[in-house]
Amino acid sequence: MKILLTGATGYIAQRLLPVLLDKKHQVVCCVRDVNRFDRSKYEGFDFELIEVEFLKNDFLDQIPQDIDVAYYLMHSMSSSENDFTEAELTVAANFKASIEQTNIKQVIFLSGIVNSKELSKHLQSRLNVEERLQSHHYALTTLRAGIIVGSGSASFEIIRDLVEKLPVMIAPKWLKTRCQPIGIRDVISFLEGVLMKEFTFNRTYDIGGPDVMTYKDMLLRFAQVRKLKRWIITVPVMTPKLSSYWLYFVTSTSFPLASSLVESMRVDVIAKPNDLQEKINVKPMRYEQAIELAFGKIEQNQVISSWRDALNIERYPNSFVKLIEVPQDGCFKDVRSMKVDDVDLALRNIWSIGGKTGWYYADWLWGIRGFFG
């Protein structure tokens, strides 16, 4: 089967690609800049790479005519543009116009769960894109997911940063909002499982894990997996903008992404029941298991993709993107070095810091930190 994979430098697509290749499908990857695609991750596999810019309607004629299925995995959630809604609709319209000129039979779209009466700007945009993608020329299969838990995902890294950096959190009231997280492995299983399944044609399915919880529960259960003691106090005074700055300064996320996440986190994101799990034989894992598997990948240095991979190339040049690494302990490393004449003396001084010797500054603050452990 010949498959068009859009957003090929993105978090989801990079996880889906090796699965499709392992199933012996012909895959054509669409990217905005071929120089930003790391072929070394997929050594031993054969696939086609084409440069296409759906937002600017450039090079759309490079899309092959004989494709059978297309995965629509493009979004602008982390974009710095003032109105990503219009940008997403433009991309969807250009994609649809070009794809309708091919022999396409099915388009698979990964969207967000939109069951609340009041939707955030991001979720409303996802729903608008879904409506724009509908066509008489091909069948549309839409999978709607909430929080995705996996090594390198934006949600996972934000949760990890908060839990591992802050023993005590003064958090906004939206932490009481309910959600239904799903592991990245299960998302990929669903995406591959609906491939050319006729019963999924022109259907929409919510996908989620077995656990429904508040965002506060997510943080505390993450802490339990990591064997950390954490206390969370929710307050009603944090505005969305203040909450966005809170995430931006404490975690490794970008401010545009933090703003979109905060707005979405004010809305319950819970999946409606359906029979898709039984029909394609996927049993989603528990939240804690998804966390443990994510850290297993991190510890083995097997994180194949990160949410940063799809950052706007105009804002982050290639030379900078290559220097970004996924943090292992909730923060970036700042490594400095200097030459010493007496190594043993230097080590003795380092190992004596703390305890009876004390710290360089504010011993009482270090005492409080030790108390919260």
Side-chain angles (χ1 to χ4, degrees):
M1 194 178 306
K2 195 163 186 176
I3 299 171
L4 185 75
L5 183 64
T6 66
T9 56
Y11 176 72
I12 299 294
Q14 290 191 69
R15 302 297 178 102
L16 179 60
L17 177 57
V19 174
L20 298 177
L21 294 173
D22 191 56
K23 297 285 186 178
K24 308 302 180 184
H25 295 298
Q26 288 180 270
V27 182
V28 180
C29 296
C30 290
V31 296
R32 285 179 295 174
D33 182 357
V34 294
N35 295 318
R36 292 190 62 234
F37 189 91
D38 187 0
R39 280 185 173 273
S40 64
K41 295 180 181 180
Y42 312 101
E43 291 183 1
F45 290 112
D46 184 27
F47 57 92
E48 188 178 349
L49 195 62
I50 60 174
E51 197 168 279
V52 179
E53 176 53 88
F54 286 101
L55 182 60
K56 298 178 180 179
N57 206 20
D58 289 343
F59 309 110
L60 300 185
D61 56 347
Q62 293 195 41
I63 296 176
Q65 296 294 305
D66 58 344
I67 58 172
D68 301 298
V69 178
Y71 281 96
Y72 190 94
L73 301 175
M74 297 178 286
H75 67 83
S76 303
M77 189 173 178
S78 58
S79 172
S80 62
E81 296 179 32
N82 293 328
D83 190 358
F84 63 81
T85 301
E86 285 301 317
E88 290 206 325
L89 285 176
T90 299
V91 170
N94 289 338
F95 168 85
K96 178 180 175 180
S98 61
I99 212 72
E100 285 183 334
Q101 306 304 313
T102 71
N103 299 326
I104 187 78
K105 301 177 181 66
Q106 181 190 27
V107 170
I108 301 171
F109 173 42
L110 180 62
S111 184
I113 293 176
V114 289
N115 297 328
S116 179
K117 292 182 180 180
E118 295 183 8
L119 298 178
S120 67
K121 185 177 180 180
H122 165 64
L123 291 176
Q124 184 61 57
S125 179
R126 295 279 81 192
L127 182 60
N128 294 343
V129 169
E130 182 180 330
E131 293 172 351
R132 182 64 60 91
L133 289 176
Q134 292 176 356
S135 170
H136 296 295
H137 186 85
Y138 56 77
L140 178 65
T141 300
T142 303
L143 300 179
R144 296 171 174 172
I147 294 292
I148 297 176
V149 181
S151 56
S153 77
S155 302
F156 174 83
E157 291 192 21
I158 289 173
I159 293 170
R160 177 178 56 181
D161 283 351
L162 292 173
V163 171
E164 298 197 3
K165 290 180 179 178
L166 302 176
V168 179
M169 299 181 215
I170 308 298
K173 63 181 180 180
W174 48 254
L175 254 67
K176 297 179 181 179
T177 304
R178 296 184 304 158
C179 61
Q180 192 170 352
I182 182 172
I184 180 61
R185 295 191 185 192
D186 294 324
V187 173
I188 300 304
S189 295
F190 277 114
L191 285 170
E192 194 275 328
V194 299
L195 184 62
M196 284 303 292
K197 298 293 193 304
E198 291 191 11
F199 65 86
T200 70
F201 286 5
N202 298 311
R203 295 283 304 276
T204 298
Y205 299 92
D206 290 351
I207 58 175
D211 302 297
V212 176
M213 65 190 88
T214 65
Y215 289 105
K216 180 178 179 179
D217 292 333
M218 286 185 67
L219 293 170
L220 292 175
R221 288 167 71 169
F222 189 102
Q224 289 177 353
V225 173
R226 298 292 285 162
K227 297 180 173 55
L228 298 170
K229 295 179 182 179
R230 293 295 182 261
W231 290 265
I232 301 176
I233 303 170
T234 57
V235 294
V237 294
M238 276 196 182
T239 64
K241 188 171 184 179
L242 187 59
S243 298
S244 300
Y245 278 116
W246 178 63
L247 284 182
Y248 176 58
F249 288 122
V250 174
T251 72
S252 56
T253 186
S254 65
F255 185 75
L257 180 57
S259 299
S260 297
L261 287 172
V262 165
E263 191 183 9
S264 297
M265 286 176 177
R266 298 165 66 195
V267 177
D268 284 342
V269 181
I270 301 174
K272 287 183 179 179
N274 57 70
D275 59 355
L276 184 60
Q277 295 183 25
E278 292 76 17
K279 285 190 173 182
I280 64 175
N281 194 28
V282 175
K283 186 177 181 181
M285 67 185 74
R286 300 293 302 270
Y287 174 63
E288 287 83 355
Q289 184 183 358
I291 295 171
E292 290 171 352
L293 288 173
F295 274 101
K297 288 292 185 182
I298 293 170
E299 291 167 2
Q300 297 172 41
N301 196 27
Q302 294 181 346
V303 181
I304 194 171
S305 66
S306 166
W307 65 272
R308 297 179 186 84
D309 295 338
L311 290 174
N312 190 302
I313 58 175
E314 294 178 359
R315 294 172 56 222
Y316 297 94
N318 295 342
S319 58
F320 176 79
V321 172
K322 292 178 180 178
L323 299 177
I324 296 179
E325 62 178 274
V326 179
Q328 294 188 10
D329 301 303
C331 60
F332 286 104
K333 291 181 289 188
D334 181 11
V335 180
R336 308 187 185 202
S337 62
M338 64 178 293
K339 185 178 180 180
V340 296
D341 296 324
D342 191 335
V343 176
D344 293 334
L345 178 60
L347 287 176
R348 283 198 300 272
N349 288 335
I350 291 172
W351 299 133
S352 65
I353 296 172
K356 295 180 180 179
T357 303
W359 300 87
Y360 296 116
Y361 177 76
D363 281 351
W364 64 277
L365 287 175
W366 285 99
I368 294 175
R369 186 182 186 281
F371 174 77
F372 287 113

